[in-house]
Structures are given as C-alpha cells and as structure tokens.
Amino acid sequence: MSAYSVETEALYQGEQIQGMELHPESIPCFFTTAFTMRGFQEVQQTYASKGYTYIRTRNPNRTALGEIVSCLEGGEETLIFASGMGAITSTLMALLEKGDHVICNANIYGETFGVMTEILGKCGVEVSFVDFQNLDDVVRAVRPETKLIYSEVFSNPTLVLADLKSLGEIAHQRGALLMVDNTFTSPVAIQPISFGADIVVNSLTKFLNGHSDAMGGAVTARKTLCAKIQSTAMLLGTPGEPFSAWLIQRGIQTAALRLPRQMHTAERLAKALAESPHVKKVYHPSLPGYPQRELADSMFGPNGYCAMLSFVVEEDLEKIDQFMLALRFPRYAPTLGGLHTTLSHPVTSSHMGVPDETRRKMGITPGMIRVSVGIEDPEDLTADFLQALEVFGA
C-alpha cells in the first residue's frame, strides 16, 4: 500500500507517454487520427505491445486519463468512453449474451432504465427490476443464468442508498458480477471496488470533469474484464476522443478540492430546505430523518456523501416555474456536476421516458426538483433558495 494519499498519487498519474521523451508540465493533446510506423518489424512490435496505432484503438490522452481514474477508484485499469452511456452500453454488450439475466436496482437513472428495457431485450437478455432496499428480494431474484447485478450508489434522483458490500456478497456467492455507477458520488466520496464491486462506471461529464465543457465516460475493472470490454467498444465505436479526454484530465486534477466543498454545501442546503415550510420533503443522506443514515455513515468518510439533493414542493408547474425564475444563481440544466449549482425537473428530463406509474413508485413526482450543488458560498446559495421558495406562500 502506498504511503501517500490517493489525492496526491492521482496528481502524478498519466505523466508517462509511451514513445515520448519530452516531459511537459501539462500533457499535450494528441490531435491525430493515427500514429505512423516504418517497416513491418515496427508494425509488429507496436501491435504486440498494444502501442498507439489508430485513434479508436488507443490514444495517449485516454490512457493518461484512465490512469488517473484507476488511481482514484482503486482499480486495476480504466477505459475511457465518449460518454457515460457509452461506457454502460459497451460494458453490458461485452459481458452479456443471449439467455443471460440481470438484476437491476428499481431506483435507476432514466436512460439506464431505457437500456435495460429496450436494448438488452433486443439482445435476448432478461432484466429483473428489484427494490435493493430489501436484500431478501435481491436474493430471491437470483437465477442460475444471472450474470450481473447493477446499481448506482445513490439512486437518481431520490438518493436511495445501495448496500454495496451486501450486493457484492450476493453476486459473488452466485458467480455473478456487481456493476456500480459512481457518477452521483464520485471516487472522492466512495470507492465501490473496496466494497466488492467488480465494475465501476463514471460519467466523466459530471463531477470528475466538473467544468461542464466535455463529455466522457469511464469503466474501471480488472484487466481481464477491461480486455473484453475494450474489444466490444472498438466495434461499437464508443471510445472517447482526445480533446475531451484532455479537458477532463485538466478538470479531474481539482476534483479532490472541489467535491468536498460541494458535498458539505449540499448538507447545509439540505438542512435549510428541510426547515422551510414550503418544502414537503428533502432527499439527502446528511439529514437526521434519512432512513439509511446508519448505512451511509458506515460507507462514507469525512469528504461527505454527495453533492446532489432533491426536494419536493407543491405539484404546481406554474409555481415551480416562478420559483426557478426567482432564483438569482442556479439555472435549469439537464446535467449535473459543474462548478455552478443547477436544477433539473426529473419528470420532464432524466425520467421523462419512464412511465408515470413507475416514476411514482420510485418517489419521483411532478413536484420534485433535483439540485446539483456547485462551489458558490454556502450562505449565498442557501439564502437564494429560501427567498425563491417564498413564491409557494404567495
């Protein structure tokens, strides 16, 4: 085990570029579709060593970024994709085949729900949606053909926590893999691999990049699994492009500074919202009434839980519109994880494609607002929300 912190180690990952003698302070962006070779011997050596040949196969910027993510997640290897969804679909396509069975958390991101219901079904893979709050139901859902258990750390947007250690034990006792989406939380808050996850997915577009200027995704896993996923990703055309990888690498260097501030500000905002007479319910693990508080405290450290929260107001879209217009700082954005605090309305964005009955079973109603907390001053942000909420008392 290293004597240095993960945060320090991560700053010095991705510095060694194969075939380059220069040592720049900042890694350059490799704007090239291919790397040339002279003669068959060099060609054979390059392919044998898995060197750089074609941009879709390998690229130095993806390699460098992958090394940093692996360090942060505590994994063997990381593959970089064009988006978080590209990372998810490529992994599922690589590891599942016709006749396999997946157990998926019923509280799941809307587009992941779409992949599970629309894409995997076409491939002959059956998916069972189970409420992971009841582990006995997960055990009962396991079949001989179950190959994968899939969950987010916290559900989007209701922040229901998955007991990763128990899910890993259930999966491994039955020869299945545990795949975890760490986007909402990030490895700054938690490393799912240390709890038994075999595969960890991150949408790099979100908190790890943090600057709302690049799209990317990552899969961290054992090298043997990554080799399978890499082959499929090449055929699907989902690997990330160099400039986005370069931008995300620049952003990820400050994640250990940004995210603890964002997570602790989210705690303060959640507390203030919970005390507002205009708010019916607040979803955040820091609150005393959070039903899984003991589990959350056992899984997370001093950096905080996550920089996301959701709250519920009156199901009046006109008043919700007035509330959004009354805010001085936050704006609506169909994404999360940037420097600025943003809002989204799950019913009309992330979970638009999920049937209303299914949404309501998840706890997602037209009165729910999801918040991605940025790096603003906590007092300024809290005051802004509280003054805007006054429209519900008018």
Side-chain angles (χ1 to χ4, degrees), residues 263-273 286 378-379 382:
M263 288 187 275
H264 291 310
T265 299
E267 293 176 14
R268 293 179 63 173
L269 179 59
K271 182 176 184 297
L273 292 173
S286 64
E379 291 186 9
T382 299

Side-chain angles (χ1 to χ4, degrees), residues 29-346:
C29 184
F30 288 83
F31 287 110
T32 181
T33 57
F35 293 83
T36 61
M37 293 154 277
R38 296 180 64 87
F40 283 129
Q41 184 175 354
E42 185 181 358
V43 171
Q44 291 168 351
Q45 289 175 345
T46 302
Y47 277 101
S49 64
K50 295 184 178 179
Y52 299 116
T53 54
Y54 181 55
I55 186 174
R56 181 159 46 87
T57 310
R58 287 178 189 84
N59 171 270
N61 295 106
R62 289 203 303 269
T63 300
L65 177 57
E67 289 177 5
I68 297 172
V69 176
S70 291
C71 179
L72 291 173
E73 285 288 4
E76 285 188 11
E77 186 174 350
T78 295
L79 303 176
I80 304 300
F81 293 83
S83 68
M85 290 307 301
I88 291 170
T89 54
S90 298
T91 301
L92 296 176
M93 292 295 100
L95 302 181
L96 299 171
E97 54 188 51
K98 185 177 180 180
D100 286 345
H101 175 242
V102 174
I103 302 173
C104 182
N105 196 330
N107 295 291
I108 204 72
Y109 174 53
E111 292 190 353
T112 304
F113 178 85
V115 171
M116 295 289 178
T117 55
E118 299 174 30
I119 306 300
L120 291 188
K122 293 179 181 179
C123 300
V125 175
E126 189 173 351
V127 180
S128 296
F129 291 96
V130 177
D131 185 350
F132 280 15
Q133 293 179 85
N134 190 331
L135 293 172
D136 289 337
D137 287 349
V138 179
V139 173
R140 281 191 285 270
V142 176
R143 309 173 187 174
E145 60 270 25
T146 301
K147 297 295 173 63
L148 187 75
I149 295 178
Y150 186 100
S151 183
E152 297 161 358
V153 180
F154 283 114
S155 63
N156 175 5
T158 53
L159 279 90
V160 177
L161 180 59
D163 184 344
L164 299 184
K165 183 177 179 182
S166 296
L167 290 172
E169 291 172 352
I170 293 170
H172 300 153
Q173 287 170 3
R174 293 154 180 82
L177 298 171
L178 175 61
M179 182 171 172
V180 176
D181 187 336
N182 199 20
T183 299
F184 243 44
T185 31
S186 89
V188 176
I190 189 171
Q191 294 177 322
I193 288 173
S194 68
F195 289 87
D198 301 285
I199 305 157
V200 178
V201 178
N202 279 283
S203 172
L204 301 175
T205 314
K206 312 301 194 301
F207 286 111
L208 288 179
N209 175 40
H211 290 73
S212 307
D213 57 6
M215 181 177 288
V219 170
T220 304
R222 296 187 297 274
K223 291 184 177 181
T224 51
L225 289 174
C226 283
K228 295 179 181 179
I229 299 167
Q230 163 76 355
S231 297
T232 300
M234 283 179 55
L235 296 175
L236 294 175
T238 53
E241 50 89 24
F243 186 55
S244 289
W246 182 83
L247 281 173
I248 294 167
Q249 180 173 355
R250 186 174 65 167
I252 204 172
Q253 301 285 5
T254 60
L257 298 176
R258 292 182 281 103
L259 276 159
R261 176 184 174 95
Q262 290 171 273
M263 288 187 275
H264 291 310
T265 299
E267 293 176 14
R268 293 179 63 173
L269 179 59
K271 182 176 184 297
L273 292 173
E275 294 171 351
S276 169
H278 307 300
V279 175
K280 296 182 177 181
K281 187 172 184 178
V282 182
Y283 296 85
H284 194 270
S286 64
L287 296 174
Y290 183 71
Q292 298 171 291
R293 182 65 185 270
E294 186 176 344
L295 176 62
D297 287 344
S298 71
M299 292 175 63
F300 291 87
N303 282 340
Y305 305 98
C306 69
M308 300 296 301
L309 63 89
S310 296
F311 64 97
V312 179
V313 293
E314 181 183 347
E315 289 188 22
D316 185 328
L317 294 183
E318 184 176 345
K319 285 190 175 180
I320 292 175
D321 184 48
Q322 292 173 7
F323 161 75
M324 292 169 61
L325 291 170
L327 287 165
R328 169 67 179 84
F329 301 115
R331 298 287 186 269
Y332 181 95
T335 186
L336 58 97
L339 299 175
H340 305 95
T341 296
T342 57
L343 312 173
S344 76
H345 187 241

Side-chain angles (χ1 to χ4, degrees), residues 15-29:
E15 290 190 320
Q16 304 299 318
I17 305 300
Q18 178 184 339
M20 193 171 99
E21 296 180 358
L22 298 174
H23 300 283
E25 172 65 12
S26 176
I27 182 176
C29 184

